[in-house]
Amino acid sequence: MEVLVINCGSSSLKFQLIDSDSEKVLAKGICERIGIKGSLITYQPTGGEKEVSNIDMPTHHEAIDAVIKALTNKETGVIDDMSEVKAVGHRVVHGGEYFSKATLVDDDVIKKIEECNYLAPLHNPANIIGIKACMNLMPDTPNVVVFDTAFHQTMPESAYLYAIPRKYYDENKIRRYGFHGTSHSFVSKRVAEIMNKPYDELKTIVCHLGNGASICAVDGGKSVDTSMGLTPLAGVIMGTRSGDIDPSIIEVIAKQDGLSIDQVINMLNKESGVAGLSEVSSDFRDITQAIEDGNAKAKSAFDAYIRQVVRFVGAYIAVMNGVDAIAFTAGVGENNKFVRAAVMEHLGYMGVKINHEANDSRGEEVMISTEDSKVKVFVVPTNEELAIARETVEIVNK
Ligand code: ADP
């Protein structure tokens, strides 16, 4: 079955057409600068040349239209007609407490996603625009929504409540939600497969370390704790996001620099993290290079990042009262052996033995602990699009 996977941002739209039987990507691409001058679509059929076209895309409607035209283009397209696409799977960032699994879109579902807009004001409205554009342009094709938050809905109350007056949870649903759920679910399942152990008997910690980063404790196939919170700003240090800080810092900086709360939050999202601390870059390739060149700030940012990851991993081992496996995934987790080794070095007493030779790899699925390591450690490349396609097929076939 052909499934179109859509990941809509406020000014971008990433897409992949996946054949769900072979699980192969047939074509993929991205529309950028939607609603801004100079919008363009990059399209690449698998095995073919990447092509970039400047197309006027004032809204996501024109972007979806451009995707349809690219996929059905007589020369470079991979299908003859959009009727060959049997379902569209949409990544949606925030499902609040409404959604604990992927869901077929109808008016009520859209209304509920809209009700979660206040929890993800940058992402959810864009996701809804993408869904509505698909409904308009492909009225006969079912749309399925797959939420970043859904996997974490199994967390116990003790993990998701913030210790602020209870009315903020009761009335406004202010709580920990967690994100990257599709990735944490995909990777933890894969770990069970690799280890040949039942998913519901395994304790796994997934370290999703990309530009955005989160750690998740998966006990018996269920998320029981995760580092991101109400929003994706919380948790570990990220490329440009601060992760957890003392909330009073916001007031101190706002007063000192004469900034609004919005401005401070923007700084915590975009100018902080590894980029803010190192004053070098948010990209770990640059950080690694700068450390080699003797840059002390880059080294200090790296050390703070590692410390924060280790704190969460250690906490989650305690939360689950043990751990069978730890998995690294996403851009940094899959590609940066220094980060993985530095984290693992802290976990020796918890039963982790590094296989340095195996760790000297990039972007591959591999066990990086020794055979006799009590806790097994893996690199598992994540594939959120494939996970969305799988969930979409499951829902549509029901
Ligand atoms: P996002 O959260 O935006 O999806 P990614 O998962 O792409 O982010 O992660 C981006 C990070 O991954 C960057 O810090 C970058 O250094 C690292 N990364 C990506 N690809 C590579 C690579 N081939 N080698 C080393 N590092 C990489």
Side-chain angles (χ1 to χ4, degrees), residues 14 91 180 208-213 239 241 281-288 329-337 362-363 382 384:
K14 290 188 210 145
R91 177 188 187 186
H180 294 137
H208 178 111
L209 309 178
N211 260 323
R241 288 176 236 166
S281 166
S282 64
D283 192 303
F284 260 87
R285 283 166 285 204
D286 302 334
I287 297 296
T288 308
T329 194
V332 178
E334 290 166 27
N335 294 297
N336 198 304
K337 62 178 176 184
R362 204 177 254 189
T382 192
E384 287 168 287

Side-chain angles (χ1 to χ4, degrees), residues 38-261:
S39 44
L40 58 141
I41 175 169
T42 307
Y43 168 77
Q44 185 170 32
T46 300
E49 297 276 308
K50 193 185 266 187
E51 51 181 74
V52 182
S53 326
N54 289 88
I55 296 173
D56 203 23
M57 296 185 261
T59 71
H60 289 72
H61 186 92
E62 288 80 11
I64 298 280
D65 193 45
V67 171
I68 293 175
K69 287 196 173 113
L71 292 171
T72 55
N73 182 288
K74 286 261 171 313
E75 273 127 49
T76 53
V78 288
I79 50 175
D80 295 324
D81 190 274
M82 281 312 274
S83 63
E84 291 172 41
V85 176
K86 299 299 178 208
V88 186
H90 297 264
R91 177 188 187 186
V92 176
V93 167
H94 221 304
E97 284 191 337
Y98 288 124
F99 301 101
S100 56
K101 47 184 187 305
T103 307
L104 194 64
V105 174
D106 61 20
D107 290 345
D108 182 53
V109 167
I110 291 185
K111 198 171 136 270
K112 288 194 168 111
I113 300 172
E114 277 168 350
E115 281 176 31
C116 298
N117 279 359
Y118 78 104
L119 295 167
L122 294 179
H123 295 100
N124 268 29
N127 299 152
I128 294 167
I129 292 170
I131 297 164
K132 287 186 174 166
C134 286
M135 291 168 91
N136 263 323
L137 287 159
M138 295 178 268
D140 299 324
T141 314
N143 289 277
V144 171
V145 278
V146 181
F147 298 91
D148 268 24
T149 49
F151 181 60
H152 302 298
Q153 279 297 301
T154 48
M155 278 191 293
E157 202 183 58
S158 55
Y160 69 68
L161 280 184
Y162 291 117
I164 55 176
R166 200 169 269 272
K167 65 170 184 178
Y168 292 110
Y169 172 64
D170 292 343
E171 291 166 24
N172 311 108
K173 296 289 165 217
I174 303 292
R175 51 160 283 180
R176 180 188 307 282
Y177 287 96
F179 299 86
H180 294 137
T182 308
S183 177
H184 289 301
S185 160
F186 179 89
V187 170
S188 55
K189 269 190 199 132
R190 184 67 200 135
V191 166
E193 281 172 14
I194 302 169
M195 292 180 75
N196 207 8
K197 293 258 169 72
Y199 188 41
D200 56 7
E201 287 175 19
L202 217 56
K203 296 178 200 284
T204 308
I205 295 172
V206 180
C207 303
H208 178 111
L209 309 178
N211 260 323
S214 71
I215 318 254
C216 181
V218 185
D219 193 349
K222 293 193 166 82
S223 168
V224 293
D225 215 335
T226 192
S227 60
M228 282 179 168
L230 175 77
T231 73
L233 178 55
V236 291
I237 297 176
M238 306 177 219
T240 63
R241 288 176 236 166
S242 62
D244 288 353
I245 59 165
D246 179 340
S248 300
I249 292 172
I250 296 171
E251 187 200 8
V252 173
I253 292 182
K255 278 189 180 152
Q256 179 185 297
D257 287 3
L259 300 175
S260 66
I261 289 182

